[in-house]
């Protein structure tokens, strides 16, 4: 990529920060909330690296006011957060919990007063446990339950919300939750994972319909996908075939139905040993393919693959337990992922900003007229608190120097600016994350925040990356 001094973003470009309910809220037993599958998953010894859970997290349930003030200080125009389904519909009877609705109304009202636009994710993985007891995402009925939940929420929150996002990263739900088992509900069963893919797609379509039925055609609706940027290790035909196989199962299973109303024939063929796709009933595609106002893209890194001799399927572990080494996606017997290279982030992920640029350009070419929004991008590093430097009074005399997070942000924003200059239709960028938070199976051990959380005291401590982001947001350039 070209090395320039100055990059300017389009007028009206949306800068934001992102979080998700289970990762920041806490208040797990307050306001009528019942358990989600993540509460259950965290309670099983060995599932979470540091044996932690979401009971308190960043205490956002009580501290949203203070954190909205932080966003004001950052100068961001938007906040992407998610609603906890078990706060809104805590019991199997389907009744709406007014306390849950009121909590999000308060958050939305404070955001409005702060001039920050809410981008609301309707499902960021915290499924009510009672729905898992009925089969979870592997049970088709869940798509209808999801549609009912969205309809009630859209009715209750109405025009307070700027953009509605049906699902966050259905890839993770299907393949980590039901394929690999390293996410809740901890199931390792490829047939269920593919069925789950379809039910997530169906839920997405019903969710879009529900929002528009409640709020009219002017409602802004989106979905956020973590599209995998897979690179072939070489241009040999077998390696290209491995890349294609990975793309089909990771990305095309969502992009095809949601945006083009079909599953690619090659997907059906590749997975024929696992499922016959009879769960894809006639009429489903008409529900799933809905016009979208925005496509959310989460981007962190790339993966290199090459062809290998067919590997025997790694036997699934006992249900509920992760199977180490198991490929999260089915039908990858001839696909081998290479070990990442270069300086890896604390997640063990590579840093390849060109992947973001390529992905955005590819999507804009394939879906002309569909605005894209980078709904997550960021990096985890082990940070340290310094008391040395800052003269800025709002940092309270403490600061985290996180040069690697600043550098990651810079190269990815350059890649974003490059993509936009080359014609990608990108309308916003959200830093993951506003705060350090509960990083799923890795607990609190991985820090993605541009603002630090001291989990002993719940103190928020600025990082250099937060101050840097503040400069960029305020200038709409860097
Ligand atoms: C995303 N992977 O998760 C989520 O949307 C966030 O909640 C999360 O905190 C963030 O990225 C950082 O991890 C992912 O294994 C989890 O490829 C795992 C993967 C991708 C995304």
């Amino acid at each position: 990529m070209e090395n320039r001094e100055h990059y300017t973003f389009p007028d009206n470009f949306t800068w934001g920060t992102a979080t998700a309910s289970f990762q920041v809220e806490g208040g797990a037993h307050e306001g009528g909330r019942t358990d989600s599958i993540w509460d259950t998953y965290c309670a099983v010894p060995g599932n979470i690296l540091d044996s932690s859970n979401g009971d308190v997290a960043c205490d956002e349930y009580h501290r949203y006011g203070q954190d909205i003030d932080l966003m004001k200080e950052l100068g961001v125009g938007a906040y992407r957060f998610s609603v906890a389904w078990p706060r809104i519909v805590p019991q199997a009877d389907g009744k709406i919990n007014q306390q849950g609705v009121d909590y999000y109304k308060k958050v939305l009202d404070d955001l409005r007063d702060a001039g920050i636009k809410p981008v609301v994710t309707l499902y960021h993985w915290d499924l009510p446990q009672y729905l898992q007891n009925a089969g979870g995402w592997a049970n088709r009925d869940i798509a209808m339950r999801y549609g009912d939940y969205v309809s009630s929420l859209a009715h209750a929150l109405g025009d307070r919300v700027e953009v509605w996002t049906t699902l966050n990263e259905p890839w993770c739900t299907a393949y980590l939750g039901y394929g690999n088992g390293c996410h809740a509900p901890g199931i390792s069963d490829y047939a269920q994972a593919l069925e789950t893919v379809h039910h997530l797609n169906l839920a997405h379509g019903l969710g879009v319909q529900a929002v528009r039925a409640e709020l009219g055609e002017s409602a802004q609706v989106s979905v956020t996908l973590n599209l995998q940027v897979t690179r072939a290790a070489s241009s040999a035909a077998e390696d290209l075939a491995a890349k294609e196989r990975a793309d089909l199962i990771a990305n095309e299973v969502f992009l095809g139905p949601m945006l083009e109303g079909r599953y690619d024939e090659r997907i059906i063929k590749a997975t024929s040993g696992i499922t016959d796709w009879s769960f894809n009933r006639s009429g489903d595609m008409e529900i799933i393919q809905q016009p979208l106002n925005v496509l959310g893209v989460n981007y962190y890194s790339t993966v290199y693959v090459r062809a290998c001799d067919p590997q025997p399927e790694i036997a699934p572990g006992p249900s509920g337990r992760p199977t180490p080494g198991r490929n999260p996606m089915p039908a990858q017997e001839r696909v081998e992922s290479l070990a990442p290279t270069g300086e890896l982030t604390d997640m063990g992920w590579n840093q390849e900003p060109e992947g973001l640029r390529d992905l955005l350009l590819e999507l804009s070419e394939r879906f002309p007229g569909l605005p894209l929004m980078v709904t997550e991008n960021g990096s985890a590093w082990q940070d340290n608190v310094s008391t040395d430097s800052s003269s800025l009074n709002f940092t309270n005399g403490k600061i985290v120097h996180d040069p690697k997070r600043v550098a990651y942000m810079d190269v990815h924003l350059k890649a974003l600016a490059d993509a936009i200059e080359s014609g990608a239709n990108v309308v916003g960028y959200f830093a993951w994350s506003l705060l350090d938070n509960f990083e799923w199976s890795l607990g609190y051990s991985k820090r993605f925040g541009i603002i630090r959380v001291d989990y002993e005291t719940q103190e928020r401590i600025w990082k250099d990356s937060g101050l840097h982001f503040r400069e960029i947001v305020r200038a709409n350039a860097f």
Side-chain angles (χ1 to χ4, degrees):
M1 245 177 303
E2 191 189 350
N3 233 338
R4 295 218 320 254
E5 295 284 295
H6 198 74
Y7 296 81
T8 310
F9 289 86
D11 293 343
N12 302 320
F13 192 77
T14 297
W15 293 100
T17 49
T19 63
S21 45
F22 193 81
Q23 296 181 273
V24 298
E25 270 181 12
H29 311 292
E30 291 176 62
R33 180 187 182 278
T34 55
D35 278 355
S36 75
I37 54 175
W38 273 95
D39 298 279
T40 309
Y41 189 77
C42 288
V44 179
N47 276 354
I48 309 297
L49 186 66
D50 57 6
S51 307
S52 62
N53 59 43
D55 284 2
V56 179
C58 307
D59 197 28
E60 198 61 27
Y61 189 68
H62 301 109
R63 292 173 196 262
Y64 61 89
Q66 158 194 351
D67 290 334
I68 290 171
D69 286 344
L70 285 175
M71 284 187 264
K72 263 166 86 174
E73 187 56 57
L74 279 166
V76 292
Y79 178 40
R80 173 177 183 256
F81 67 99
S82 77
V83 170
W85 189 345
R87 279 195 197 287
I88 304 299
V89 191
Q91 309 288 346
D93 62 14
K95 287 212 188 87
I96 302 306
N97 171 32
Q98 192 56 39
Q99 286 183 82
V101 170
D102 289 345
Y103 168 65
Y104 293 108
K105 277 189 178 166
K106 284 188 294 179
V107 173
L108 290 165
D109 288 345
D110 278 14
L111 287 169
R112 185 193 49 211
D113 294 346
I116 298 171
K117 292 188 283 186
V119 174
V120 173
T121 308
L122 293 159
Y123 183 72
H124 198 130
W125 310 351
D126 39 3
L127 185 73
Q129 181 59 40
Y130 64 81
L131 285 175
Q132 188 58 45
N133 298 345
W137 287 104
N139 177 353
R140 182 179 170 95
D141 182 55
I142 198 176
M144 277 52 87
R145 305 297 292 266
Y146 172 84
D148 293 345
Y149 152 65
V150 173
S151 167
S152 313
L153 197 65
H155 182 78
L157 302 182
D159 60 8
R160 284 179 168 88
V161 173
E162 180 86 8
V163 179
W164 301 87
T165 306
T166 55
L167 304 172
N168 175 72
E169 304 194 347
W171 181 96
C172 289
T173 301
Y175 297 131
L176 301 183
Y178 291 77
N180 168 296
C182 69
H183 275 193
I187 293 167
S188 303
D189 178 340
Y190 286 152
Q192 275 194 59
L194 291 170
E195 194 158 2
T196 286
V197 162
H198 185 68
H199 296 155
L200 284 159
N201 283 329
L202 191 60
H204 160 77
L206 290 168
V208 176
Q209 288 182 337
V211 171
R212 295 217 169 105
E214 279 299 328
L215 303 174
E217 293 302 311
S218 63
Q220 300 273 308
V221 190
S222 69
V223 65
T224 279
L225 302 177
N226 58 321
L227 298 164
Q228 315 278 301
V229 178
T230 304
R231 315 278 209 192
S234 83
S235 54
E238 316 85 81
D239 290 347
L240 293 173
K243 170 192 155 39
E244 180 189 275
R245 175 63 64 97
D247 278 346
L248 286 170
I249 306 297
N251 303 332
E252 290 306 316
V253 290
F254 301 111
L255 286 174
M258 289 179 180
L259 293 164
E260 293 166 339
R262 67 188 176 91
Y263 287 111
D264 191 302
E265 270 311 310
R266 291 169 299 172
I267 297 174
I268 313 297
K269 212 172 134 203
T271 56
S272 61
I274 304 166
T275 178
D276 61 7
W277 291 80
S278 54
F279 43 75
N280 178 20
R281 298 192 194 159
S282 120
D284 284 1
M285 282 303 150
E286 287 68 40
I287 296 171
I288 296 169
Q289 187 192 11
Q290 296 295 326
L292 295 179
N293 303 96
V294 174
L295 176 63
V297 176
N298 291 353
Y299 178 84
Y300 292 93
S301 65
T302 59
V303 176
Y304 284 75
V305 296
R306 69 173 168 224
C308 59
D309 291 336
Q311 300 171 335
E313 184 53 61
I314 301 163
S319 184
R321 304 290 305 122
T323 312
R326 183 174 165 88
N327 191 317
M329 294 189 296
Q332 308 294 302
E333 297 82 1
R334 288 175 178 277
V335 182
E336 182 188 345
S337 304
L338 305 186
T341 58
E343 186 183 24
L344 308 184
T345 71
D346 204 29
M347 294 293 282
W349 296 344
N350 75 359
Q351 303 184 64
E352 194 177 328
E354 296 79 6
L356 176 62
R357 183 197 54 196
D358 296 350
L359 174 63
L360 294 170
L361 283 169
E362 250 176 62
L363 289 169
S364 277
E365 225 163 85
R366 176 164 167 193
F367 307 110
L370 177 64
L372 308 174
M373 197 146 81
V374 178
T375 38
E376 286 181 24
N377 175 242
S379 58
W381 304 98
Q382 291 299 328
D383 298 324
N384 292 304
V385 180
S386 305
T387 42
D388 54 356
S389 63
S390 181
S391 58
L392 292 167
N393 56 14
F394 62 81
T395 68
N396 206 14
K398 294 180 191 165
I399 184 92
V400 174
H401 297 305
D402 57 343
K404 293 185 176 181
R405 192 176 287 100
V406 169
Y408 180 100
M409 183 184 284
D410 271 353
V411 289
H412 286 79
L413 289 180
K414 279 179 195 165
L416 173 66
D418 261 15
I420 294 172
E421 276 181 22
S422 307
N425 183 5
V426 189
V427 297
Y429 174 94
F430 290 73
W432 185 269
S433 175
L434 173 66
L435 302 170
D436 292 337
N437 60 49
F438 178 79
E439 181 52 33
W440 308 111
S441 308
L442 301 167
Y444 298 97
S445 69
K446 304 297 172 197
R447 293 178 177 272
F448 273 96
I450 59 172
I451 292 173
R452 181 182 176 91
V453 175
D454 178 330
Y455 293 112
E456 299 289 317
T457 61
Q458 290 294 339
E459 186 185 3
R460 277 42 171 165
I461 301 166
W462 283 79
K463 303 187 190 183
D464 284 340
S465 55
L467 296 173
H468 186 61
F469 194 56
R470 179 172 172 267
E471 297 297 313
I472 294 168
V473 167
R474 287 169 177 236
N476 196 36
F478 72 108

